[in-house]
Structure formats: structure tokens, C-alpha cells
Amino acid sequence: MASSNPRRAAFDILRQVEDGAFADLALDAVLTRGRLTDQRDRALLTELVYGVLRRRGSIDFALAQFCQQPLAKLEPAVLRILRLSAHQLLHLDRIPAHAVVNEAV
């Protein structure tokens, strides 16, 4: 599903990667469809996908400090949203926290 929302598109791409897709091919497929026309949205999508994949270990470590149950027991979609949100809050300084939380909810 192609989306014009970079966070939703990142969520979908990360799901595909979990199912065995290659991140670069899944990302390229979304970018070439042309739904994300704003260069900032395209850059955010790319950063979200590669950032979550690159920093997954440290993101999961941070999340585990606050989750009451092991991350492996969370629904995959919920964990994906948490990872995307944590990456934005911990590693991206140009996105306000309220925007991250609003989009996650």
C-alpha cells in the first residue's frame, strides 16, 4: 500500500522487511510511485526506514526499559510503531515530540 504519509509508508516498508523484503527495494518502490512529491517527505521516509533498521538494537534497548512485557510479546504492528516513534524522539531533533506522539496514536 503506497501512502502519501511518510510515517505510514515507513510503517508499511518495515512490515515488508519483517516479511523478508529488501529495504532498499521496498523503499525504492514507494519512492518511484510518486505519491510522496515533497522532497522533505521523501527524505523523512528514507531516514525513518534506514534509521530504524540501523539503530534497531539501541531502540529496542531503550523501549525495553519502559515496556512492562518483553518486546517479543508485543504485537508486531505495535512494536513497529514504537520503534518508529522512539527513533524520531531519540535521534531526530527537528521533529517536535508532540508531532511524533500524535502520529503514533
Side-chain angles (χ1 to χ4, degrees):
M1 164 189 264
S3 175
S4 59
N5 179 327
R7 290 174 181 92
R8 176 59 197 218
F11 175 88
D12 293 337
I13 290 169
L14 291 171
R15 181 192 46 76
Q16 291 174 34
V17 170
E18 290 170 9
D19 292 341
F22 292 103
D24 58 336
L25 298 177
L27 180 61
D28 187 55
V30 170
L31 292 174
T32 57
R33 285 191 195 118
R35 286 195 147 190
L36 291 173
T37 55
D38 188 325
Q39 196 61 27
R40 293 171 297 185
D41 287 343
R42 296 167 66 86
L44 177 59
L45 170 60
T46 302
E47 172 55 38
L48 290 176
V49 171
Y50 288 138
V52 167
L53 294 174
R54 181 175 55 246
R55 293 185 166 116
R56 183 174 159 179
S58 65
I59 291 169
D60 284 358
F61 180 80
L63 290 173
Q65 306 305 307
F66 297 99
C67 289
Q68 294 180 357
Q69 59 183 313
L71 298 183
K73 290 191 173 190
L74 294 175
E75 290 290 325
V78 171
L79 183 54
R80 216 172 301 125
I81 291 169
L82 289 173
R83 284 176 176 152
L84 280 164
S85 301
H87 174 62
Q88 292 173 78
L89 291 170
L90 296 172
H91 302 290
L92 304 181
D93 58 354
R94 299 183 86 191
I95 301 176
H98 69 272
V100 174
V101 172
N102 183 57
E103 286 291 322
V105 172

XYZ file of all heavy atoms in Angstrom:
823
model
N 0.844 -1.175 0.000
C 0.000 0.000 0.000
C 0.892 1.242 0.000
O 1.654 1.469 0.916
C -0.890 -0.031 1.238
C -1.526 1.297 1.553
S -2.365 1.302 3.138
C -4.009 0.967 2.586
N 0.801 2.032 -1.015
C 1.559 3.276 -1.085
C 0.783 4.351 -0.340
O -0.420 4.448 -0.435
C 1.775 3.684 -2.528
N 1.502 5.158 0.395
C 0.865 6.189 1.192
C 1.519 7.527 0.914
O 2.690 7.601 0.577
C 0.998 5.837 2.680
O 0.500 6.869 3.476
N 0.734 8.601 1.076
C 1.301 9.935 0.929
C 1.800 10.463 2.279
O 2.273 11.568 2.362
C 0.256 10.884 0.332
O -0.875 10.936 1.163
N 1.691 9.660 3.315
C 2.200 9.993 4.639
C 3.512 9.239 4.828
O 3.528 8.010 4.818
C 1.176 9.577 5.694
C 1.631 9.864 7.104
O 2.810 9.795 7.426
N 0.673 10.163 7.954
N 4.637 9.942 5.022
C 5.924 9.252 5.124
C 6.014 8.295 6.304
O 6.661 7.251 6.205
C 6.942 10.382 5.245
C 6.173 11.595 5.582
C 4.775 11.399 5.111
N 5.345 8.612 7.411
C 5.386 7.708 8.566
C 4.616 6.431 8.282
O 5.054 5.338 8.635
C 4.847 8.416 9.805
C 5.777 9.509 10.316
C 5.147 10.288 11.452
N 6.006 11.342 11.925
C 5.982 12.584 11.486
N 5.142 12.946 10.538
N 6.799 13.492 11.989
N 3.479 6.560 7.638
C 2.692 5.362 7.281
C 3.446 4.533 6.242
O 3.464 3.303 6.314
C 1.320 5.782 6.739
C 0.465 4.624 6.263
C 0.232 3.638 7.384
N -0.214 2.367 6.847
C -1.115 1.605 7.412
N -1.679 1.982 8.537
N -1.458 0.462 6.876
N 4.062 5.198 5.287
C 4.845 4.481 4.277
C 6.015 3.756 4.931
O 6.313 2.605 4.578
C 5.334 5.451 3.201
N 6.677 4.374 5.905
C 7.781 3.729 6.618
C 7.269 2.508 7.379
O 7.910 1.453 7.384
C 8.451 4.716 7.571
N 6.123 2.644 8.017
C 5.495 1.526 8.722
C 5.283 0.353 7.765
O 5.616 -0.790 8.076
C 4.164 1.991 9.326
C 3.362 0.913 9.990
C 3.582 0.617 11.323
C 2.399 0.217 9.290
C 2.838 -0.379 11.955
C 1.661 -0.777 9.906
C 1.873 -1.074 11.246
N 4.731 0.638 6.586
C 4.467 -0.406 5.594
C 5.756 -1.045 5.080
O 5.830 -2.264 4.912
C 3.662 0.161 4.420
C 2.254 0.567 4.828
O 1.735 0.048 5.838
O 1.674 1.425 4.128
N 6.775 -0.238 4.847
C 8.056 -0.765 4.355
C 8.701 -1.644 5.422
O 9.214 -2.731 5.114
C 8.994 0.373 3.927
C 8.457 1.038 2.654
C 10.412 -0.135 3.714
C 9.146 2.332 2.295
N 8.666 -1.213 6.667
C 9.252 -2.022 7.736
C 8.511 -3.348 7.898
O 9.119 -4.374 8.205
C 9.280 -1.237 9.048
C 10.261 -0.073 9.074
C 10.070 0.773 10.330
C 11.701 -0.554 8.962
N 7.203 -3.345 7.678
C 6.441 -4.601 7.691
C 6.924 -5.521 6.576
O 7.133 -6.716 6.786
C 4.945 -4.355 7.538
C 4.128 -5.661 7.584
C 2.686 -5.467 7.157
N 2.516 -4.677 5.953
C 2.745 -5.101 4.711
N 3.186 -6.315 4.487
N 2.544 -4.315 3.684
N 7.131 -4.963 5.401
C 7.626 -5.758 4.280
C 9.007 -6.335 4.592
O 9.283 -7.494 4.267
C 7.699 -4.905 3.016
C 6.352 -4.497 2.466
C 6.501 -3.537 1.296
O 7.436 -3.632 0.518
N 5.565 -2.603 1.197
N 9.857 -5.541 5.218
C 11.201 -6.015 5.587
C 11.094 -7.164 6.592
O 11.808 -8.162 6.483
C 12.062 -4.856 6.136
C 13.360 -5.370 6.741
C 12.339 -3.846 5.035
N 10.191 -7.036 7.552
C 9.974 -8.123 8.511
C 9.516 -9.398 7.807
O 9.815 -10.496 8.263
C 8.941 -7.712 9.558
C 9.435 -6.664 10.523
C 8.323 -6.103 11.392
O 7.184 -6.636 11.367
O 8.587 -5.120 12.099
N 8.811 -9.236 6.700
C 8.326 -10.383 5.926
C 9.356 -10.901 4.927
O 9.058 -11.796 4.148
C 7.035 -10.013 5.181
C 5.863 -9.782 6.121
O 5.925 -10.247 7.280
O 4.883 -9.133 5.703
N 10.561 -10.303 4.922
C 11.636 -10.808 4.091
C 12.042 -9.947 2.911
O 12.946 -10.314 2.169
N 11.391 -8.800 2.734
C 11.745 -7.917 1.616
C 13.064 -7.202 1.907
O 13.468 -7.059 3.062
C 10.643 -6.883 1.383
N 13.719 -6.766 0.854
C 14.917 -5.944 0.991
C 14.490 -4.490 1.161
O 13.673 -3.979 0.389
C 15.822 -6.084 -0.234
C 16.442 -7.444 -0.367
C 15.952 -8.357 -1.279
C 17.505 -7.811 0.450
C 16.522 -9.615 -1.396
C 18.081 -9.057 0.337
C 17.579 -9.970 -0.583
N 15.043 -3.835 2.170
C 14.638 -2.468 2.490
C 14.844 -1.526 1.318
O 13.973 -0.695 1.025
C 15.397 -1.959 3.713
N 15.982 -1.640 0.628
C 16.260 -0.704 -0.459
C 15.276 -0.869 -1.607
O 14.829 0.111 -2.196
C 17.699 -0.832 -0.946
C 18.053 -2.226 -1.442
O 17.404 -3.210 -1.026
O 18.995 -2.331 -2.243
N 14.884 -2.099 -1.894
C 13.926 -2.324 -2.983
C 12.518 -1.865 -2.607
O 11.813 -1.265 -3.415
C 13.917 -3.800 -3.383
C 15.230 -4.354 -3.919
C 15.098 -5.843 -4.212
C 15.693 -3.585 -5.141
N 12.117 -2.140 -1.369
C 10.791 -1.707 -0.909
C 10.709 -0.182 -0.859
O 9.703 0.409 -1.268
C 10.490 -2.311 0.457
N 11.767 0.451 -0.388
C 11.807 1.915 -0.331
C 11.776 2.507 -1.736
O 11.017 3.443 -2.009
C 13.044 2.379 0.425
C 13.241 3.884 0.564
C 12.090 4.520 1.319
C 14.552 4.165 1.267
N 12.573 1.956 -2.621
C 12.609 2.443 -3.996
C 11.251 2.317 -4.668
O 10.827 3.212 -5.409
C 13.674 1.698 -4.798
C 13.862 2.277 -6.183
O 14.122 3.495 -6.277
O 13.723 1.530 -7.171
N 10.545 1.233 -4.400
C 9.224 1.040 -4.997
C 8.261 2.142 -4.564
O 7.493 2.661 -5.374
C 8.673 -0.337 -4.612
N 8.323 2.524 -3.295
C 7.440 3.591 -2.803
C 7.856 4.941 -3.387
O 7.016 5.730 -3.814
C 7.446 3.628 -1.260
C 6.733 4.868 -0.746
C 6.813 2.372 -0.698
N 9.152 5.188 -3.420
C 9.624 6.480 -3.922
C 9.354 6.660 -5.411
O 9.082 7.770 -5.863
C 11.117 6.651 -3.629
C 11.492 6.789 -2.147
C 12.995 6.801 -1.970
C 10.853 8.023 -1.535
N 9.395 5.602 -6.174
C 9.170 5.726 -7.619
C 7.687 5.808 -7.973
O 7.357 6.239 -9.073
C 9.815 4.566 -8.402
O 9.313 3.323 -7.915
C 11.321 4.609 -8.275
N 6.815 5.420 -7.059
C 5.374 5.549 -7.331
C 4.933 7.004 -7.371
O 3.896 7.319 -7.931
C 4.566 4.799 -6.275
C 4.605 3.316 -6.477
C 3.593 2.634 -5.577
N 3.899 1.220 -5.524
C 4.232 0.555 -4.446
N 4.254 1.174 -3.276
N 4.511 -0.717 -4.490
N 5.707 7.867 -6.728
C 5.445 9.294 -6.842
C 4.384 9.861 -5.937
O 3.980 11.003 -6.104
N 3.899 9.101 -4.956
C 2.897 9.658 -4.048
C 3.495 10.675 -3.096
O 2.816 11.580 -2.643
C 2.214 8.551 -3.260
C 1.260 7.765 -4.106
C 0.393 6.963 -3.219
N -0.908 6.876 -3.859
C -1.965 6.415 -3.285
N -1.908 6.010 -2.052
N -3.106 6.342 -3.931
N 4.759 10.494 -2.774
C 5.462 11.462 -1.928
C 6.204 12.420 -2.847
O 7.290 12.120 -3.323
C 6.449 10.752 -0.997
C 5.851 9.895 0.103
C 6.926 9.120 0.834
C 5.076 10.740 1.082
N 5.599 13.558 -3.095
C 6.190 14.501 -4.043
C 7.093 15.525 -3.369
O 8.023 16.022 -3.987
C 5.095 15.238 -4.823
O 4.207 15.863 -3.895
C 4.316 14.259 -5.698
N 6.831 15.820 -2.100
C 7.652 16.782 -1.367
C 8.986 16.131 -1.013
O 9.028 15.044 -0.425
C 6.919 17.221 -0.103
C 7.621 18.361 0.625
O 8.871 18.406 0.615
O 6.919 19.195 1.206
N 10.068 16.801 -1.334
C 11.399 16.256 -1.087
C 11.640 16.010 0.405
O 12.330 15.070 0.782
C 12.468 17.209 -1.655
C 13.811 16.588 -1.787
C 13.827 15.381 -2.737
O 13.034 15.264 -3.658
N 14.729 14.472 -2.484
N 11.050 16.840 1.257
C 11.204 16.647 2.706
C 10.532 15.360 3.166
O 11.071 14.643 4.022
C 10.645 17.840 3.471
C 11.447 19.119 3.243
C 10.752 20.291 3.836
N 9.470 20.452 3.125
C 8.624 21.437 3.300
N 8.871 22.366 4.177
N 7.514 21.500 2.604
N 9.361 15.053 2.598
C 8.678 13.804 2.936
C 9.475 12.596 2.463
O 9.561 11.584 3.159
C 7.281 13.764 2.324
C 6.300 14.684 3.021
O 6.590 15.120 4.162
O 5.240 14.972 2.430
N 10.054 12.700 1.289
C 10.873 11.605 0.753
C 12.116 11.389 1.625
O 12.498 10.259 1.919
C 11.269 11.901 -0.693
C 10.067 11.961 -1.636
C 10.412 12.556 -2.998
N 11.329 11.726 -3.753
C 10.966 10.716 -4.537
N 9.687 10.408 -4.659
N 11.871 10.029 -5.194
N 12.717 12.487 2.076
C 13.897 12.391 2.940
C 13.516 11.809 4.303
O 14.246 10.975 4.860
C 14.545 13.761 3.101
N 12.372 12.226 4.846
C 11.913 11.695 6.129
C 11.640 10.199 6.017
O 12.048 9.424 6.888
C 10.660 12.431 6.612
C 10.045 11.915 7.914
C 11.044 11.995 9.072
C 8.770 12.694 8.236
N 10.977 9.793 4.964
C 10.701 8.369 4.754
C 12.006 7.570 4.731
O 12.134 6.547 5.405
C 9.931 8.166 3.451
C 9.785 6.712 2.995
C 9.046 5.877 4.022
C 9.102 6.656 1.639
N 12.964 8.034 3.969
C 14.239 7.333 3.860
C 14.932 7.260 5.212
O 15.426 6.199 5.607
C 15.143 8.043 2.829
O 14.462 8.081 1.571
C 16.465 7.323 2.670
N 14.945 8.359 5.945
C 15.576 8.374 7.270
C 14.848 7.453 8.240
O 15.478 6.751 9.029
C 15.621 9.790 7.838
C 16.082 9.870 9.281
C 17.422 9.215 9.556
O 18.336 9.300 8.710
O 17.571 8.591 10.629
N 13.527 7.443 8.205
C 12.777 6.589 9.116
C 13.083 5.115 8.868
O 13.349 4.355 9.804
C 11.276 6.852 8.994
C 10.777 8.189 9.523
C 9.300 8.350 9.236
C 11.060 8.331 11.004
N 13.044 4.707 7.616
C 13.279 3.297 7.289
C 14.701 2.892 7.649
O 14.924 1.952 8.424
C 12.983 3.010 5.804
C 13.444 1.610 5.424
C 11.503 3.186 5.506
N 15.674 3.590 7.107
C 17.063 3.208 7.349
C 17.491 3.462 8.791
O 18.282 2.716 9.353
C 18.005 3.917 6.377
C 17.907 3.389 4.970
C 17.917 4.251 3.885
C 17.811 2.027 4.706
C 17.848 3.772 2.586
C 17.729 1.540 3.415
C 17.751 2.414 2.358
O 17.668 1.937 1.080
N 16.959 4.515 9.402
C 17.310 4.814 10.784
C 16.826 3.743 11.747
O 17.561 3.318 12.642
N 15.576 3.307 11.583
C 15.044 2.250 12.448
C 15.820 0.954 12.241
O 16.187 0.277 13.205
C 13.528 2.036 12.202
C 13.045 0.756 12.860
C 12.738 3.226 12.721
N 16.117 0.628 11.003
C 16.868 -0.599 10.741
C 18.296 -0.512 11.282
O 18.810 -1.465 11.868
C 16.880 -0.902 9.245
C 15.514 -1.255 8.640
C 15.622 -1.381 7.134
C 14.953 -2.526 9.265
N 18.922 0.619 11.118
C 20.309 0.805 11.543
C 20.423 0.818 13.070
O 21.367 0.283 13.636
C 20.843 2.116 10.964
C 22.267 2.447 11.299
C 22.758 3.713 10.595
N 21.916 4.867 10.838
C 21.181 5.492 9.898
N 21.189 5.079 8.647
N 20.449 6.540 10.204
N 19.460 1.418 13.730
C 19.543 1.602 15.185
C 18.589 0.694 15.962
O 18.270 0.963 17.119
C 19.240 3.057 15.520
C 20.295 4.008 15.006
C 20.003 5.404 15.481
N 21.130 6.268 15.290
C 21.117 7.316 14.478
N 20.034 7.615 13.793
N 22.185 8.074 14.354
N 18.141 -0.360 15.343
C 17.139 -1.222 15.964
C 17.590 -1.739 17.328
O 16.800 -1.779 18.271
C 16.812 -2.380 15.032
C 15.737 -3.270 15.580
C 15.333 -4.311 14.586
N 14.693 -5.408 15.281
C 14.217 -6.456 14.705
N 14.316 -6.603 13.401
N 13.649 -7.406 15.401
N 18.831 -2.125 17.462
C 19.324 -2.634 18.746
C 19.215 -1.609 19.859
O 18.714 -1.905 20.952
N 19.667 -0.398 19.608
C 19.611 0.637 20.647
C 18.179 1.106 20.894
O 17.810 1.420 22.031
C 20.510 1.821 20.292
O 20.058 2.481 19.144
N 17.378 1.124 19.852
C 15.959 1.485 20.018
C 15.261 0.438 20.876
O 14.523 0.769 21.813
C 15.262 1.640 18.648
C 15.794 2.877 17.917
C 13.752 1.706 18.813
C 15.362 2.967 16.467
N 15.481 -0.837 20.571
C 14.856 -1.903 21.355
C 15.329 -1.884 22.805
O 14.552 -2.131 23.724
C 15.123 -3.266 20.721
C 14.258 -3.515 19.489
O 13.424 -2.660 19.145
O 14.426 -4.591 18.879
N 16.602 -1.586 23.015
C 17.124 -1.481 24.380
C 16.377 -0.379 25.138
O 15.959 -0.568 26.287
C 18.626 -1.210 24.370
C 19.206 -1.082 25.744
C 19.500 -2.206 26.498
C 19.448 0.169 26.288
C 20.030 -2.086 27.777
C 19.974 0.299 27.566
C 20.261 -0.829 28.318
N 16.223 0.777 24.504
C 15.518 1.894 25.147
C 14.055 1.536 25.413
O 13.529 1.809 26.496
C 15.610 3.141 24.280
N 13.398 0.916 24.455
C 11.993 0.541 24.635
C 11.826 -0.477 25.753
O 10.861 -0.412 26.524
C 11.415 -0.019 23.333
C 11.206 0.979 22.200
C 10.781 0.253 20.927
C 10.171 2.026 22.588
N 12.759 -1.418 25.842
C 12.663 -2.466 26.860
C 12.706 -1.892 28.273
O 12.158 -2.495 29.205
C 13.780 -3.485 26.660
N 13.322 -0.728 28.424
C 13.400 -0.093 29.744
C 12.031 0.397 30.217
O 11.816 0.578 31.410
C 14.375 1.091 29.717
C 15.761 0.772 29.201
C 16.426 -0.368 29.936
O 16.521 -0.344 31.152
N 16.871 -1.361 29.195
N 11.111 0.612 29.277
C 9.816 1.181 29.625
C 8.634 0.245 29.415
O 7.544 0.527 29.893
C 9.589 2.472 28.823
C 10.595 3.535 29.147
C 11.686 3.745 28.333
C 10.464 4.306 30.289
C 12.631 4.711 28.627
C 11.405 5.273 30.606
C 12.485 5.480 29.775
N 8.817 -0.831 28.697
C 7.727 -1.775 28.432
C 7.611 -2.753 29.590
O 8.616 -3.247 30.095
C 7.965 -2.536 27.131
S 7.760 -1.518 25.671
N 6.392 -3.047 29.968
C 6.158 -3.962 31.079
C 6.293 -5.419 30.660
O 6.443 -6.288 31.512
C 4.780 -3.713 31.677
C 4.672 -2.360 32.340
C 3.303 -2.120 32.932
O 2.406 -2.941 32.810
N 3.143 -0.982 33.573
N 6.224 -5.691 29.379
C 6.392 -7.052 28.903
C 7.524 -7.091 27.887
O 7.896 -6.053 27.341
C 5.095 -7.574 28.295
C 4.559 -6.762 27.135
C 3.236 -7.313 26.646
O 3.111 -8.503 26.458
N 2.269 -6.438 26.435
N 8.093 -8.257 27.655
C 9.180 -8.349 26.678
C 8.717 -7.886 25.300
O 7.556 -8.100 24.919
C 9.523 -9.838 26.661
C 8.979 -10.394 27.934
C 7.792 -9.542 28.286
N 9.609 -7.248 24.555
C 9.251 -6.737 23.232
C 8.769 -7.854 22.311
O 7.904 -7.634 21.460
C 10.441 -6.010 22.602
C 10.946 -4.775 23.336
C 12.079 -4.125 22.554
C 9.838 -3.784 23.614
N 9.300 -9.044 22.474
C 8.909 -10.178 21.631
C 7.442 -10.549 21.803
O 6.853 -11.178 20.919
C 9.788 -11.380 21.931
N 6.840 -10.158 22.921
C 5.434 -10.485 23.162
C 4.474 -9.417 22.641
O 3.267 -9.610 22.641
C 5.188 -10.718 24.649
C 5.824 -11.991 25.148
C 5.333 -12.319 26.532
C 5.856 -13.680 26.939
N 5.216 -14.131 28.160
N 5.002 -8.283 22.205
C 4.153 -7.221 21.662
C 3.667 -7.602 20.268
O 4.350 -8.319 19.535
C 4.922 -5.905 21.582
C 5.341 -5.265 22.897
C 6.200 -4.036 22.618
C 4.136 -4.897 23.730
N 2.512 -7.094 19.909
C 2.025 -7.271 18.539
C 3.044 -6.642 17.598
O 3.549 -5.536 17.876
C 0.674 -6.588 18.355
C -0.464 -7.256 19.079
C -0.828 -8.584 18.449
O -0.749 -8.730 17.217
O -1.183 -9.491 19.219
N 3.358 -7.281 16.475
C 4.359 -6.725 15.558
C 4.049 -5.299 15.108
O 4.956 -4.477 15.014
C 4.341 -7.702 14.381
C 3.863 -8.987 14.967
C 2.895 -8.595 16.050
N 2.792 -4.988 14.852
C 2.438 -3.638 14.409
C 2.691 -2.615 15.506
O 3.175 -1.509 15.238
C 0.976 -3.589 13.970
N 2.395 -2.969 16.749
C 2.626 -2.061 17.875
C 4.120 -1.823 18.055
O 4.564 -0.691 18.236
C 1.997 -2.627 19.169
C 2.413 -1.813 20.384
C 0.486 -2.678 19.041
N 4.905 -2.887 17.967
C 6.352 -2.752 18.105
C 6.933 -1.888 16.992
O 7.805 -1.056 17.228
C 7.015 -4.132 18.116
C 8.528 -4.153 18.327
C 8.933 -3.400 19.589
C 9.021 -5.591 18.355
N 6.409 -2.030 15.782
C 6.863 -1.223 14.650
C 6.579 0.260 14.913
O 7.432 1.118 14.670
C 6.138 -1.683 13.384
C 6.967 -1.644 12.153
C 6.249 -2.290 10.953
N 5.908 -3.672 11.222
C 4.677 -4.188 11.135
N 3.665 -3.452 10.744
N 4.451 -5.446 11.406
N 5.395 0.567 15.416
C 5.038 1.957 15.732
C 5.943 2.495 16.833
O 6.425 3.628 16.758
C 3.553 2.064 16.139
C 2.660 1.798 14.936
C 3.247 3.434 16.742
C 1.195 1.619 15.278
N 6.185 1.688 17.850
C 7.066 2.117 18.939
C 8.477 2.378 18.438
O 9.113 3.355 18.844
C 7.077 1.071 20.058
C 5.806 0.955 20.890
C 5.897 -0.237 21.836
C 5.540 2.240 21.651
N 8.977 1.522 17.572
C 10.329 1.716 17.030
C 10.407 2.994 16.205
O 11.360 3.762 16.337
C 10.735 0.518 16.177
C 11.121 -0.689 16.981
C 11.420 -1.872 16.095
N 11.893 -3.016 16.871
C 11.735 -4.263 16.504
N 11.128 -4.573 15.365
N 12.191 -5.247 17.262
N 9.423 3.206 15.343
C 9.413 4.426 14.529
C 9.357 5.663 15.423
O 10.085 6.638 15.205
C 8.223 4.420 13.569
C 8.379 3.597 12.311
C 7.029 3.342 11.655
C 9.316 4.297 11.345
N 8.515 5.635 16.428
C 8.367 6.784 17.320
C 9.614 7.014 18.146
O 10.071 8.153 18.300
C 7.154 6.576 18.233
O 5.988 6.411 17.455
N 10.164 5.937 18.695
C 11.378 6.074 19.508
C 12.531 6.619 18.674
O 13.300 7.467 19.147
C 11.747 4.720 20.122
N 12.656 6.157 17.448
C 13.727 6.679 16.579
C 13.576 8.183 16.385
O 14.549 8.934 16.487
C 13.718 5.956 15.234
C 14.684 6.530 14.258
N 16.042 6.556 14.473
C 14.494 7.133 13.052
C 16.643 7.138 13.445
N 15.718 7.503 12.576
N 12.363 8.625 16.146
C 12.137 10.056 15.938
C 12.440 10.849 17.206
O 13.067 11.916 17.152
C 10.697 10.306 15.496
C 10.402 9.767 14.112
C 8.936 9.875 13.781
O 8.458 10.944 13.443
N 8.206 8.768 13.898
N 12.005 10.334 18.350
C 12.225 11.052 19.605
C 13.694 11.063 20.035
O 14.192 12.069 20.538
C 11.376 10.423 20.723
C 9.873 10.630 20.602
C 9.144 9.765 21.631
C 9.500 12.089 20.753
N 14.379 9.959 19.813
C 15.758 9.829 20.292
C 16.805 10.362 19.325
O 17.864 10.816 19.755
C 16.060 8.356 20.592
C 15.258 7.710 21.715
C 15.519 6.213 21.765
C 15.568 8.378 23.045
N 16.523 10.298 18.025
C 17.576 10.561 17.052
C 17.298 11.707 16.071
O 18.211 12.132 15.374
C 17.881 9.294 16.260
C 18.293 8.142 17.128
N 19.495 8.096 17.785
C 17.647 7.008 17.459
C 19.579 6.981 18.479
N 18.463 6.301 18.308
N 16.070 12.153 15.990
C 15.754 13.230 15.042
C 15.367 14.475 15.834
O 14.337 14.493 16.501
C 14.627 12.810 14.103
C 14.865 11.531 13.305
C 13.680 11.235 12.396
C 16.134 11.623 12.490
N 16.169 15.506 15.738
C 15.933 16.689 16.561
C 15.044 17.747 15.913
O 14.692 18.719 16.557
C 17.261 17.311 16.979
C 18.131 17.705 15.795
O 17.763 17.402 14.648
O 19.185 18.318 16.024
N 14.657 17.542 14.676
C 13.834 18.563 14.009
C 12.349 18.238 14.047
O 11.533 19.008 13.536
C 14.289 18.714 12.559
C 15.764 19.167 12.495
C 16.199 19.381 11.099
N 15.832 20.738 10.742
C 15.877 21.225 9.529
N 16.272 20.466 8.534
N 15.549 22.473 9.286
N 11.986 17.124 14.649
C 10.577 16.737 14.734
C 10.123 16.931 16.178
O 10.670 16.313 17.092
C 10.364 15.277 14.296
C 10.843 15.088 12.861
C 8.894 14.893 14.432
C 10.769 13.665 12.367
N 9.119 17.774 16.400
C 8.641 18.004 17.768
C 8.037 16.728 18.368
O 7.394 15.947 17.665
C 7.566 19.081 17.612
C 7.724 19.637 16.245
C 8.419 18.596 15.421
N 8.240 16.552 19.651
C 7.729 15.359 20.332
C 6.218 15.228 20.181
O 5.710 14.116 19.986
C 8.119 15.395 21.805
N 5.492 16.344 20.245
C 4.035 16.250 20.133
C 3.606 15.734 18.754
O 2.611 15.031 18.640
C 3.368 17.592 20.447
C 3.604 18.651 19.425
N 4.702 19.493 19.453
C 2.883 19.020 18.332
C 4.639 20.326 18.430
N 3.551 20.058 17.726
N 4.365 16.042 17.732
C 4.042 15.534 16.394
C 4.292 14.036 16.302
O 3.512 13.305 15.697
C 4.874 16.273 15.337
N 5.367 13.579 16.922
C 5.676 12.149 16.930
C 4.568 11.383 17.640
O 4.052 10.376 17.130
C 7.040 11.884 17.609
C 7.296 10.389 17.764
C 8.159 12.549 16.835
N 4.189 11.861 18.814
C 3.163 11.172 19.602
C 1.821 11.203 18.879
O 1.115 10.196 18.815
C 3.047 11.798 21.015
C 1.867 11.218 21.772
C 4.342 11.577 21.780
N 1.468 12.343 18.311
C 0.206 12.461 17.587
C 0.140 11.447 16.430
O -0.875 10.784 16.245
C 0.031 13.879 17.054
C -1.302 14.068 16.365
O -2.353 13.837 16.960
N -1.261 14.468 15.110
N 1.196 11.348 15.671
C 1.212 10.414 14.541
C 1.198 8.960 15.001
O 0.585 8.114 14.371
C 2.438 10.665 13.656
C 2.332 11.907 12.814
C 1.285 11.806 11.717
O 1.132 10.723 11.119
O 0.623 12.812 11.455
N 1.863 8.689 16.115
C 1.905 7.311 16.627
C 0.533 6.852 17.098
O 0.143 5.708 16.876
C 2.916 7.207 17.763
N -0.190 7.766 17.738
C -1.526 7.422 18.241
C -2.465 7.220 17.074
O -3.221 6.284 17.007
C -2.048 8.512 19.191
C -3.484 8.275 19.551
C -1.184 8.578 20.435
